[in-house]
Amino acid sequence: EQILAGQTIVVTGTLNHYSREEIEKLIAELGGRPGKSISKQTSFVVAGEKAGSKLAKAQAAGVKVITEDEFRKLVGEA
């Protein structure tokens, strides 16, 4: 199921349930595009612990920010 189709998702901070490679692979498998930086194309940001400048930039740009747990619920893993 391509529940993230057409969405660009940026991951920032330290995650508890995924390595960076694992979550980016999952995003791609679900039809999304893992983003490296915040841009107009960013659909939302998954923010873990110790999220830094990407989180601040997303908030300043009005980009939706969700937690790792919210992401897990979204993709049916929680």
Side-chain angles (χ1 to χ4, degrees), residues 22-78:
E22 288 170 336
I23 195 166
E24 289 179 354
K25 182 179 176 189
L26 178 60
I27 290 166
E29 287 173 355
L30 296 174
R33 194 175 125 244
K36 298 294 181 191
S37 61
I38 306 300
S39 71
K40 291 180 182 176
Q41 286 75 40
T42 304
S43 303
F44 62 91
V45 173
V46 179
E49 295 177 27
K50 299 180 184 171
S53 61
K54 287 182 189 174
L55 175 59
K57 189 172 181 181
Q59 291 170 328
V63 174
K64 181 178 179 178
V65 177
I66 66 172
T67 65
E68 180 182 7
D69 288 338
E70 289 170 321
F71 177 81
R72 294 182 74 221
K73 289 176 187 170
L74 176 68
V75 300
E77 290 197 352

